[in-house]
Each structure stands twice: as C-alpha cells, then as structure tokens.
Amino acid sequence: MLVFILGAISGAFVLLVGFLIFKFEFDLALMTNVVIAAATVVATIIHLDSTRKQRKDRIWDINKDALLNLAHSLSLVIHASEYYSELECYRNQGINESPSIREPKDGVYENFNNNQEQVLNVYRTLMDKELIDSLESCKAQNKKISEAVDHDAINNYEAYDASLDSYKELQNKLNIFIAEMSGIKSI
C-alpha cells in the first residue's frame, strides 16, 4: 500500500516536471479536477485495502478458537506418536526401558479426531482450501495406516512413523495458515 502511494506521488511529480519542461499551460479548473481524481483513486484504494483487512480479521476471529484447539491437539498427537514410536522401537529391540519422552495423556487421539471433524464439518467454508485438503489427506492416510495395521501389512512402529510424518506435514500447513490469518506473518 505504501509503495503504491509513493509510486503515485513520484509519478505525479514526474508528470508535473514533464508539463513544466514542455511548457504546458495549466488551467486551474483542470488542475482541480486532476487533484480530485487522484484523491478519489487513493481513497478507493485505501477503502478496498481496509475492507480486505476487516474481512480477514473477521475470519480470524471466527476461526481462532477452532484453529488453536486443533493446533494444540495436533501437537499432543505428535508427542504421543513420538512416544509410542519410541516405545515400539524399544520393544522390537528387546530394550526394557521406558522412552525418554514423557508419557502422553489418555484421549489425545480422540481429542484430535474431534477437533479435526469439527474443522472439517463446521468451519470448512471459512478455511483455506489447502488446509482443508491437508486435513482430509491426513485423515485418509491415518485410515489407510490403521487398515494396514489391522491386516498385518505393517507393524506398529512403521504405523507410528508413517502417521507421525503425516501429522508433522499437517502441522506445518496449519502453522502457516494460522500465521497468515492472524496477521503475524505480515508483521
């Protein structure tokens, strides 16, 4: 916005210098109309920018709680998946130690699934298409992983590792979306 205004001012200055060089005669009525037109253009640009920012702020206010709850539950699921992945690795190697990561609370996966379903079903129209696609992709991948474990196609360690990759990819996209919507990225 500032770049546009500076460009408009410098363009007007160059135009004025050009008029002076070529000895163009100024009429007061013409100059008044030019100034009014320029002010109208600047006011319209400022209004459109303000409207865009207000819309973005309203969408953030509506989505803020759902997005932050989803981000928190996703971080808990990532922590739980890391814990269980390490636990399975120790079991496969016959190590009788507990993982170095603290044990996760019960119900983190259910909480994440509930938050995920809420965003997909309730907030879908207010979210970025790329984020919704990422949520659906993560959900589909975890369903395939569960089916593969049920049919003994992969072991638990591989399942936790694969779901962990899916969750981390979703977390990156969610963090980018939250940063953009909250206005943090533009600061």
Side-chain angles (χ1 to χ4, degrees):
M1 180 68 175
L2 181 64
V3 173
F4 176 79
I5 292 173
L6 291 175
I9 291 171
S10 62
F13 179 73
V14 168
L15 184 65
L16 180 64
V17 169
F19 283 153
L20 291 175
I21 291 174
F22 295 114
K23 299 188 190 250
F24 183 78
E25 292 185 27
F26 288 102
D27 182 10
L28 186 58
L30 175 66
M31 193 51 119
T32 303
N33 287 337
V34 169
V35 169
I36 290 172
T40 302
V41 168
V42 170
T44 302
I45 290 169
I46 291 171
H47 174 71
L48 292 175
D49 185 56
S50 174
T51 303
R52 184 183 56 83
K53 286 181 182 177
Q54 287 175 353
R55 181 178 184 277
K56 190 175 179 180
D57 289 343
R58 281 193 308 270
I59 291 174
W60 169 245
D61 286 339
I62 291 168
N63 292 333
K64 177 173 49 176
D65 293 333
L67 286 172
L68 294 178
N69 287 338
L70 180 66
H72 180 253
S73 64
L74 180 58
S75 69
L76 293 176
V77 163
I78 288 172
H79 172 76
S81 295
E82 288 171 345
Y83 174 84
Y84 292 125
S85 176
E86 192 173 326
L87 185 65
E88 285 298 320
C89 181
Y90 286 176
R91 284 183 186 161
N92 288 344
Q93 294 178 0
I95 300 172
N96 287 333
E97 292 182 25
S98 60
S100 58
I101 305 170
R102 68 176 165 77
E103 187 173 353
K105 296 178 183 176
D106 292 334
V108 293
Y109 290 100
E110 292 80 17
N111 186 28
F112 171 71
N113 288 334
N114 290 339
N115 287 329
Q116 186 179 34
E117 288 300 319
Q118 180 186 23
V119 168
L120 287 174
N121 294 328
V122 178
Y123 292 94
R124 174 185 291 274
T125 57
L126 300 172
M127 298 285 180
D128 183 48
K129 182 177 176 2
E130 186 177 331
L131 178 63
I132 294 298
D133 291 344
S134 296
L135 282 166
E136 288 175 338
S137 172
C138 180
K139 185 178 177 181
Q141 284 177 331
N142 284 319
K143 185 176 181 181
K144 288 179 185 177
I145 291 168
S146 294
E147 289 173 358
V149 169
D150 290 343
H151 293 85
D152 292 329
I154 60 174
N155 63 29
N156 288 342
Y157 175 74
E158 294 169 333
Y160 284 121
D161 197 40
S163 66
L164 191 59
D165 290 340
S166 174
Y167 290 137
K168 285 185 177 181
E169 180 181 331
L170 176 61
Q171 186 180 41
N172 287 336
K173 290 185 180 179
L174 182 61
N175 288 340
I176 290 169
F177 182 72
I178 288 174
E180 286 175 1
M181 291 305 298
S182 67
I184 301 290
K185 194 170 189 177
S186 63
I187 292 178

